[in-house]
Amino acid sequence: MTKPHSLRDRIAQLIFPRIGSNMPPAVTVAEDAERIGELLDRHALGGLCLFNGDRFMTPQALAVLQSRSRFPLLVATDMERGVGQQLRGATVFPHALAYASLSPDDVEEMARISAREALAAGIHISFSPVADVASNPRNPIIATRAYGTDPETASARVAAYICGCAAEGLLSTAKHFPGHGDTETDSHDGKPVLTRDRESLDALELPPFAAAIQAGVPLVMTAHVAYPALDASGRIATASKPILQDLLRDEMGFRGAVISDSLLMAGATAGAATEGEEVARILKAGVDILLDVRSVDDVIEHLVTAAHSDAELRARVDEAFERLWTLKTGFSDRFGDSFFLDPGTAFEPRVVGCAEHQTAAAGMAARALVEYGESYRFFALKPGQKDVLCVLVRPHVTYNDPAAGTLEKAFLQAFPNGTYREILPETDEADLKQLVDAAAEHRGVVVAVIVKPAAWHKFGLQPAQHRFVREMCDRHATVLASLGSPTILSDFPGAVTSVCLFSDVAPSQQALASWLSRLQ
């Protein structure tokens, strides 16, 4: 591969803007391709951060952009739940916490499948595994995204994910260094501060990252979180040289590339006058790849000008570029130079979302189900009585939620004469009360709640929804299911039995319906 040498090109290589968006108004990858193409005409961008694609149009759009770019692009995406999280039609797996009750071998298999699909679609970097420990049930953004609630469980599964990706050739990213699991603020819309002392950070937050480094993880993503015990200045990890250089590199021995979390997040701001000044600080602190900058043109112009008079910044640009270029040449060494333009030279496109992979995801979702309390069977149907009522409670709706009707279809296949209802954020309280009263007409009640982290959304049930679930459990023989965090189950001791699937993905919803069918 031809290597860029000019300062401007090397700076541009460090910038990964987003293509596609899941924030209103949502934009697909295909719809956003021309905007990115125009950026590529002006700048030698190093890569892209992909959102909101599909298995058919996205690979085509990426191939066109690769041909339009002077240098190969590294395409990255959030695919903690498999590439189906971002590409409709690809395989989606349960949230990471589901794997706490499965084995590391299951995680490795999931990672290998996800890697094959990603690479076949033209994606090179997985922004996973989450190496945070879900130690704080009040955490609004990690929760079910973590592999465990203790460092031992998380560490083993983080290492397994990295090994699975490496076996297929996908680059993985351990995040969010040095640990986001014990915060109570979402860094998407605030600046969390973790006040643990160094000893407790060493015991709880850092072990999964140490395991990731030992497993050879090629990238580490920073947390927009302040850790006074690690940097008394109060700077977030993304902008902290004591955290990124002294701790991550010097103490822990990481030699790969450091990438920032999205710089669009509120927690990323540190009071600089311009975005260019902010980014220069972040580079000098030890970040190598700049993710999701707001203005590519302004940032590049600022960095080019600043690097001419700032020897430290110029040295950091060169150092960061060499780390990035090493990641790119790794693909050429393994798959050949043509791989960026045509991933089909190494991976069969038909593997994306294939039946074999979907079956594997369904099996993992079913085996991850955990029952709490006594075994239970629905009452026998009495004359004039209606069959089982199933209610799904959704506190918010996001673009990459499972397709509408997933649980409904699976439930009605198991209970053809049953009744299905869905509680949405806008459902009126009068309708909730009416549904509680009507539940008495049914031989059994199932309430499934979705409590999961989602960027820029409040974590947990809405107050009216919480009251609805409590009344259902207190007044009727209710089977309570969490399609997300298990901690919500303790709020409703009136349920006759409870079950957790740790995820609301389609395979988990289908696994719930299958389990319910066995209660007949």
Side-chain angles (χ1 to χ4, degrees):
M1 294 188 300
T2 303
K3 190 174 184 178
H5 293 287
S6 74
L7 173 62
R8 178 176 292 273
D9 284 352
R10 287 184 166 219
I11 286 172
Q13 284 285 295
L14 307 182
I15 295 177
F16 283 39
R18 67 172 50 204
I19 179 170
S21 178
N22 54 13
M23 296 185 293
V27 179
T28 67
V29 170
E31 291 168 341
D32 209 18
E34 182 54 32
R35 179 185 68 86
I36 295 298
E38 292 172 359
L39 274 176
L40 289 171
D41 292 343
R42 301 196 297 274
H43 306 295
L45 299 176
L48 303 171
C49 178
L50 184 148
F51 296 93
N52 199 8
D54 68 79
R55 61 177 291 200
F56 299 111
M57 299 292 289
T58 293
Q60 297 175 36
L62 293 177
V64 170
L65 292 173
Q66 290 283 10
S67 67
R68 195 166 173 173
S69 179
R70 287 190 289 133
F71 306 102
L73 296 163
L74 285 179
V75 181
T77 195
D78 282 318
M79 47 179 284
E80 298 164 21
R81 302 184 291 283
V83 75
Q85 181 178 340
Q86 300 296 346
L87 300 187
R88 286 177 296 280
T91 306
V92 62
F93 290 88
H95 284 66
L97 196 57
Y99 292 88
S101 58
L102 301 181
S103 74
D105 290 342
D106 289 304
V107 177
E108 184 169 350
E109 181 186 3
M110 178 267 287
R112 294 191 70 145
I113 290 172
S114 300
R116 288 195 291 271
E117 294 197 5
L119 291 164
I123 295 168
H124 315 100
I125 300 175
S126 170
F127 286 153
S128 43
V130 170
D132 306 312
V133 178
S135 60
N136 188 340
R138 295 180 297 278
N139 188 304
I141 196 59
I142 301 302
T144 53
R145 297 170 63 199
Y147 279 104
T149 57
D150 63 84
E152 293 78 16
T153 301
S155 294
R157 286 150 184 79
V158 163
Y161 186 95
I162 292 163
C163 291
C165 288
E168 301 295 334
L170 188 75
L171 299 175
S172 56
T173 309
K175 64 184 186 185
H176 309 80
F177 186 80
H180 204 330
D182 192 29
T183 61
E184 295 184 19
T185 302
D186 180 359
S187 52
H188 289 85
D189 54 21
K191 177 184 170 181
V193 178
L194 187 54
T195 56
R196 284 182 174 273
D197 60 26
R198 176 60 195 267
E199 184 178 6
S200 65
L201 290 171
D202 286 342
L204 180 63
E205 307 290 349
L206 295 179
F209 290 98
I213 294 168
Q214 181 66 30
V217 70
L219 294 105
V220 167
M221 179 180 286
T222 64
H224 299 326
V225 179
Y227 306 82
L230 301 176
D231 185 342
S233 72
R235 286 185 290 264
I236 58 173
T238 304
S240 171
K241 192 171 184 178
I243 293 175
L244 300 183
Q245 181 63 51
D246 300 347
L247 174 59
L248 179 59
R249 294 203 180 278
D250 296 345
E251 288 190 41
M252 301 183 71
F254 179 62
R255 296 293 176 263
V258 174
I259 185 167
S260 73
D261 203 344
S262 169
L263 296 175
L264 294 177
M265 295 162 59
T269 59
T274 68
E275 186 182 24
E277 291 178 10
E278 191 75 65
V279 166
R281 291 182 187 179
I282 289 169
L283 277 172
K284 290 166 76 170
V287 168
D288 301 309
I289 300 172
L290 304 163
L291 181 63
D292 223 2
V293 300
R294 192 174 304 277
S295 174
V296 172
D297 295 325
D298 291 349
V299 165
I300 289 177
E301 290 304 321
H302 179 91
L303 291 178
V304 169
T305 300
H308 279 300
S309 58
D310 186 333
E312 181 186 3
L313 179 60
R314 176 60 191 261
R316 276 293 301 128
V317 168
D318 289 339
E319 180 182 50
F321 167 75
E322 292 299 336
R323 291 189 180 121
L324 172 69
W325 199 250
T326 296
L327 298 180
K328 294 191 175 187
T329 55
F331 282 101
S332 294
D333 293 344
R334 181 161 181 167
F335 301 119
D337 285 351
S338 62
F339 175 71
F340 287 98
L341 291 170
D342 181 13
T345 58
F347 291 89
E348 172 55 59
R350 287 178 294 181
V351 304
V352 181
C354 68
E356 179 184 356
H357 293 175
Q358 301 281 4
T359 298
M364 293 176 190
R367 288 186 287 110
L369 183 149
V370 175
E371 294 181 49
Y372 305 90
E374 300 295 327
S375 59
Y376 180 76
R377 292 288 183 272
F378 291 122
F379 301 122
L381 191 63
K382 297 177 182 178
Q385 195 176 41
K386 297 179 181 180
D387 205 349
V388 175
L389 167 67
C390 179
V391 183
L392 177 64
V393 184
R394 302 172 67 183
H396 51 69
V397 178
T398 64
Y399 89 103
N400 60 354
D401 284 341
T406 298
L407 180 59
E408 179 179 16
K409 180 179 178 181
F411 171 75
L412 292 178
Q413 283 179 339
F415 298 86
N417 297 313
T419 302
Y420 178 87
R421 294 287 184 269
E422 198 160 298
I423 304 301
L424 297 172
E426 62 271 18
T427 302
D428 187 84
E429 285 202 59
D431 293 334
L432 297 179
K433 183 180 184 306
Q434 185 177 32
L435 189 53
V436 172
D437 293 338
E441 303 170 5
H442 297 263
R443 71 176 175 113
V445 177
V446 177
V447 175
V449 297
I450 297 176
V451 177
K452 65 176 183 178
W456 289 287
H457 288 84
K458 184 175 176 60
F459 182 72
L461 297 177
Q462 295 182 359
Q465 294 174 338
H466 197 281
R467 290 191 294 272
F468 165 79
V469 176
R470 186 178 63 246
E471 287 190 46
M472 274 290 206
C473 291
D474 290 345
R475 289 179 52 183
H476 307 291
T478 300
V479 175
L480 179 63
S482 174
L483 292 164
S485 172
T487 59
I488 190 65
L489 298 174
S490 63
D491 287 1
F492 309 106
V496 294
T497 194
S498 299
V499 62
C500 188
L501 293 100
F502 305 96
S503 181
D504 67 328
V505 298
S508 297
Q509 294 194 19
Q510 291 156 355
L512 172 59
S514 178
W515 177 81
L516 290 171
S517 71
R518 298 195 292 272
L519 301 185
Q520 301 194 71

